[in-house]
Amino acid sequence: MPGIDIHALEGDLLLRGVWEGLGTPECHLTGGYVRDRLLRRESVDLDLVLPGSLETASGPAQRLAARLDTRAHVLGRDANRVWRIETSEIRIELWPLGDLDLEQDIKRRDFSCNALVWTLPDGPLDDRVDGVADLEARVIRALSKKNLKDDPVRLVRAPRFLAQLEGFDIEPQTSRWIRELAPDCVNAPRERVGQELLKLLGASGAGAGIRALIDLWLLKPAAPAASRCDRRWLESHVEAASRLAGTAAHPVPAAVREAGIASQLALLLRGWGNPGANAVAAYAWPRTLRRFAARAAALLDEALAAVDAPVAERRLFIYIAGTAFPVTMTLAAAVEPDQPWARWWRLWRERGEELVNPEPLLTGNEIEALLGTEPGPALGRAVDSLIEAQVRGEVKTAAGARRWLTRRFEL
């Protein structure tokens, strides 16, 4: 494993360009960009600290935004408001120090690996918390228990770092603090918890991150209220997260690519006891993402039960799953990889569109006239039954549909 490159930030053209775009103010870089570059990792997230208030940081923020052909906007509340500048290639936050000095700002941060400071543009590196030593030792260490308690979202950030930083462990004292404070995660803003979890699930070490959520007693506090978390199920299927992340073999790699992170989120939702899409709206995940993930989690057991079913039943399952089928099948194949999922995928690629949106062989009015049924639940059941028979391949023409309905309803 490569060692720490303490010279990685020297001559960084991105940092110099950002500093010049701000108007060359007194400015310090901290957080993930410093950590990742020292670890020889790529990063596009810059956390910059400027003396003064949010108002005095407005000028540099607006100048830089104009240079990047975008706009600066304010995020956060009260004392935690920051300027955010974002493009398709980079995300920058400007944190005003307010009444704090740099020493106080460093000491209030979450983990030592995030409390390293680089003075723009040319340094030096300021390490007052032994952060470099912790990076060398591959250790995630909290600066204090109080810092974790002050912002419970930081409790979930530790497992997220395990997912993102290969070969790292959480320092024992930090693990004890997190377990003691785990109940406080219930009060953490769900939208911020949601972002931490999404980063965890999208990382190559998602399995390690999920295992840490369980081991640090954070699974239920991070879940929606009233969730019936199935810790044992999730613990026994942690390897599925590695298959979905691409760090372990998945039986249908093409499905993983098409499903994207929705399948990883579905795994977590299954561990949370299948909360519906509306139950996780507060996590601020994109609507389509949470809808597909919730649907896949709810259908998982049914998919596993049907994996070796005849083709007619597999066709019907695709119809029931709808556009969530790729996510559902990807999740199921990660959970039980030694099953014939490849033929499910071939069926989806060949017939998926027509199975999800079958062209009705008869209209509702035609079925009503044939059965002599008034509009209502009975007619709805007849329409649904015919569609399912069509999807299974039992009927293929309008004439066949009439014969099937006649036999089915004994006309």
Side-chain angles (χ1 to χ4, degrees):
M1 185 178 297
I4 304 302
D5 182 4
I6 62 173
H7 303 291
L9 294 168
E10 296 176 4
D12 189 307
L13 297 179
L14 173 61
L15 294 183
R16 178 167 285 278
V18 167
W19 178 66
E20 292 175 351
L22 291 168
T24 66
E26 178 186 347
C27 185
H28 304 279
L29 173 73
T30 187
Y33 191 89
V34 178
R35 178 198 67 228
D36 288 344
R37 297 297 290 122
L38 293 180
L39 290 170
R40 306 170 191 263
R41 289 164 47 92
E42 295 300 318
S43 181
V44 294
D45 293 300
L46 276 66
D47 293 323
L48 301 174
V49 178
L50 282 73
S53 65
L54 188 76
E55 290 71 24
T56 60
S58 175
Q62 301 299 339
R63 280 193 292 272
L64 178 59
R67 182 163 179 166
L68 295 175
D69 196 25
T70 186
R71 289 188 174 186
H73 56 279
V74 176
L75 294 179
R77 300 176 183 175
D78 303 325
N80 293 320
R81 291 187 301 163
V82 302
W83 286 101
R84 165 70 73 83
I85 303 166
E86 189 168 4
T87 72
S88 60
E89 298 176 346
I90 190 171
R91 291 182 293 274
I92 302 169
E93 289 187 354
L94 303 181
W95 292 76
L97 276 173
D99 296 331
L100 301 178
D101 59 28
L102 188 60
E103 173 81 13
Q104 292 169 318
D105 180 64
I106 291 171
K107 293 299 177 65
R108 70 173 177 169
R109 293 187 174 273
D110 50 10
F111 303 97
S112 63
C113 62
N114 282 345
L116 297 163
V117 175
W118 179 262
T119 301
L120 267 62
D122 298 318
L125 181 67
D126 189 335
D127 180 10
R128 310 184 192 191
V129 294
D130 293 328
V132 171
D134 287 339
L135 289 179
E136 290 280 10
R138 296 319 198 248
V139 166
I140 305 296
R141 177 175 59 85
L143 296 188
S144 73
K145 184 177 181 180
K146 178 181 182 302
N147 289 6
L148 296 178
K149 187 173 182 61
D150 286 347
D151 184 0
V153 174
R154 292 171 168 176
L155 303 172
V156 183
R157 196 168 294 158
R160 190 254 285 183
F161 286 153
L162 286 190
Q164 293 179 319
L165 303 176
E166 182 182 359
F168 275 67
D169 291 308
I170 299 177
E171 182 258 343
Q173 178 66 74
T174 299
S175 294
R176 288 192 289 272
W177 286 341
I178 293 174
R179 291 190 183 99
E180 291 170 13
L181 295 172
D184 291 0
C185 189
V186 171
N187 302 317
R190 295 294 96 173
E191 66 274 15
R192 291 181 59 210
V193 171
Q195 293 309 302
E196 293 294 336
L197 291 174
L198 212 57
K199 291 176 183 177
L200 182 159
L201 295 169
S204 60
I210 290 176
R211 187 175 291 108
L213 281 176
I214 297 169
D215 293 343
L216 296 172
W217 307 343
L218 291 168
L219 182 64
K220 187 168 180 59
S227 291
R228 298 183 177 180
C229 292
D230 193 343
R231 178 187 62 80
R232 291 186 177 180
W233 183 91
L234 189 58
E235 193 169 28
S236 65
H237 291 94
V238 165
E239 185 63 21
S242 299
R243 296 188 185 102
L244 296 173
T247 53
H250 187 282
V252 191
V256 177
R257 292 191 292 272
E258 182 165 329
I261 199 170
S263 56
Q264 288 97 310
L265 183 55
L267 179 70
L268 178 63
L269 296 185
R270 174 60 181 80
W272 278 353
N274 295 337
N278 291 336
V280 295
Y283 291 79
W285 296 318
R287 182 178 179 182
T288 299
L289 172 64
R290 58 185 167 87
R291 182 168 60 85
F292 279 7
R295 182 71 173 150
L299 288 172
L300 174 60
D301 292 341
E302 188 174 340
L304 295 174
V307 59
D308 209 17
V311 65
E313 298 307 312
R314 286 185 272 128
R315 290 162 60 101
L316 181 60
F317 183 85
I318 291 177
Y319 168 71
I320 292 170
T323 52
F325 175 79
V327 181
T328 307
M329 199 217 76
T330 301
L331 173 62
V335 170
E336 291 190 8
D338 297 327
Q339 298 292 339
W341 297 109
R343 64 183 186 179
W344 279 58
W345 190 247
R346 286 195 299 272
L347 180 60
W348 167 256
R349 301 305 294 172
E350 294 169 1
R351 309 290 297 275
E353 185 174 348
E354 67 181 83
L355 292 174
V356 169
N357 297 297
E359 187 70 29
L361 296 172
L362 299 175
T363 67
N365 289 337
E366 289 173 325
I367 296 174
E368 180 182 347
L370 178 66
L371 299 182
T373 304
E374 295 292 329
L379 178 60
R381 286 193 293 273
V383 170
D384 290 343
S385 295
L386 178 58
I387 287 289
E388 290 183 5
Q390 178 183 341
V391 168
R392 285 192 179 98
E394 296 171 8
V395 291
K396 299 180 180 179
T397 65
R402 291 188 179 92
R403 290 193 296 271
W404 186 90
L405 285 169
T406 299
R407 291 195 303 271
R408 178 67 179 268
F409 294 94
E410 298 181 353
L411 296 180

